[in-house]
Amino acid sequence: MNLNCSLWQDNSMSVKLFAFTKFSEVTEQCFLLFTVILLMFLTSLTGNALIALAIWTNQVLHTPMYFFLANLSLLEIGYTCSVIPKMLQSLVSEARGISREGCATQMFFFSLFGISECCLLAAMAFDRYMAICSPLHYATRMSRGVCGQLAMVSWGIGCMVSLGQTNYIFSLDFCGPCEIDHFFCDLPPILALACGDTSRNEAAVFAVATLCISSPFLLIIASYSRILAAVLIMPSPEGCRKALSTCSSHLLVVTLFYGSASIAYLRPKASHLPGTDKLLALFYTVVTSMLNPIIYSLRNKEVKAALWRTMGGKKVLTHG
């Protein structure tokens, strides 16, 4: 469908309404992708909601590690809900338009949940560092108040950065074309529609993305370096194995999240291809969110037991 930009502009000639490009002219391909994404989306929502509910209703999981895991599940729910419903509509409907305000809102919430997750993963790594390297002081240093503050800081950083970045991008004028060559309002494809030379804007956005992705990642690397050093000097092989097992799920989630985010946002502009960018977008918006609850439930006996009690309606176990 060809879009007439003149119908989508106000008197200042700045585009006020966008549309997402059609995935394929072959209807069957669009419906196939719609079905696959819908199934993964529902799996992600169900898995993350169940984990958050299980942690909330089982007293045995009211510990710092599971408090952060519940926050991670809530972030994943928000992360996927901010982009997937509109993506699904665009796949099977001719109504692929989105207003400038709607696009800005989608970008804000997508960035909010994504950046908050970067920070929360760093907080989770710090929690594992305290548990393994400072077990005698763990209960006092990772109190409920401290955990709440770390979670609030993660959400707060995500809110401030995404608000500033979204306002910065949508303060620009968009002269057309009107079509966004992507599934949702992500940073690079929106900047590509701005008027004039946007190299400075792209550099600024790249710098913010680098800071938001690399800073928490460096904290994670530092935490796990200390953890590895502590584990290597443990006299008991069983203690070493147990310590590493508490970190394995988190490490796998970090690898999936940071791997896809780094490839998507930190690789050179020259290597950006619309098809590749869309596949990466599907991976870090749908696949990783679907895999996270599976990783934590399959690799953690306490979470599996809590999920079983929650779904089975059995009596909830409590401390003591």
Side-chain angles (χ1 to χ4, degrees):
M1 179 178 68
N2 293 323
L3 300 171
N4 187 350
C5 286
S6 63
L7 300 177
W8 299 49
Q9 296 172 328
D10 61 8
N11 293 331
S12 66
M13 296 306 292
S14 181
V15 174
K16 295 299 180 183
L17 190 65
F18 302 101
F20 300 106
T21 56
K22 199 166 186 178
F23 172 75
S24 172
E25 294 299 328
V26 181
T27 305
E28 289 76 11
Q29 290 181 353
C30 292
F31 274 102
L32 176 61
L33 187 59
F34 172 88
T35 303
V36 172
I37 293 176
L38 178 62
L39 290 174
M40 290 193 293
F41 177 53
L42 294 176
T43 302
S44 173
L45 285 183
T46 303
N48 283 297
L50 281 174
I51 284 184
L53 180 63
I55 293 171
W56 179 265
T57 57
N58 287 267
Q59 290 291 326
V60 292
L61 299 185
H62 288 186
T63 63
M65 181 173 73
Y66 295 115
F67 169 77
F68 290 126
L69 178 56
N71 271 269
L72 180 66
S73 294
L74 293 176
L75 283 171
E76 293 287 6
I77 291 172
Y79 191 68
T80 53
C81 287
S82 65
V83 296
I84 301 303
K86 186 64 179 178
M87 183 189 299
L88 291 172
Q89 181 191 21
S90 299
L91 282 170
V92 294
S93 171
E94 290 298 323
R96 293 178 284 112
I98 184 169
S99 67
R100 181 173 176 143
E101 293 76 16
C103 193
T105 301
Q106 186 184 67
M107 180 182 290
F108 168 75
F109 282 107
F110 176 75
S111 300
L112 162 64
F113 294 122
I115 295 169
S116 298
E117 185 165 338
C118 286
C119 298
L120 189 71
L121 288 172
M124 294 173 76
F126 177 73
D127 170 67
R128 291 299 82 208
Y129 159 72
M130 293 300 301
I132 294 172
C133 299
S134 232
L136 298 179
H137 304 286
Y138 178 69
T140 55
R141 293 182 179 176
M142 294 300 294
S143 64
R144 181 175 296 182
V146 171
C147 293
Q149 290 172 3
L150 288 172
M152 287 178 63
V153 168
S154 299
W155 285 80
I157 291 174
C159 184
M160 289 188 294
V161 173
S162 59
L163 183 61
Q165 191 159 258
T166 302
N167 183 66
Y168 175 69
I169 290 175
F170 281 89
S171 64
L172 302 173
D173 286 329
F174 298 91
C175 305
C178 305
E179 286 192 309
I180 302 170
D181 195 11
H182 207 45
F183 287 125
F184 60 95
C185 293
D186 203 2
L187 301 174
I190 296 299
L191 267 178
L193 302 181
C195 305
D197 182 14
T198 60
S199 56
R200 291 185 178 180
N201 308 97
E202 291 171 1
V205 170
F206 181 81
V208 172
T210 301
L211 183 64
C212 292
I213 293 175
S214 62
S215 297
F217 185 67
L218 290 175
L219 292 175
I220 293 172
I221 294 296
S223 297
Y224 276 106
S225 297
R226 298 292 297 273
I227 289 172
L228 183 60
V231 166
L232 290 177
I233 61 174
M234 285 184 177
S236 168
E238 179 62 23
C240 178
R241 185 198 64 78
K242 187 176 181 181
L244 289 176
S245 68
T246 64
C247 303
S248 58
S249 296
H250 180 252
L251 277 173
L252 189 52
V253 169
V254 166
T255 301
L256 287 171
F257 183 80
Y258 274 95
S260 57
S262 298
I263 295 172
Y265 295 105
L266 301 184
R267 73 186 195 276
K269 181 183 177 181
S271 64
H272 282 258
L273 297 172
T276 304
D277 289 347
K278 289 179 182 179
L279 288 176
L280 282 170
L282 287 177
F283 187 84
Y284 63 75
T285 56
V286 187
V287 179
T288 56
S289 298
M290 179 188 70
L291 291 178
N292 286 355
I294 297 173
I295 291 169
Y296 275 105
S297 61
L298 291 181
R299 300 178 64 87
N300 191 301
K301 293 181 180 179
E302 289 181 323
V303 172
K304 282 193 289 187
L307 286 171
W308 182 257
R309 291 193 295 270
T310 301
M311 292 186 293
K314 296 184 179 181
K315 184 178 179 180
V316 176
L317 299 179
T318 59
H319 288 300

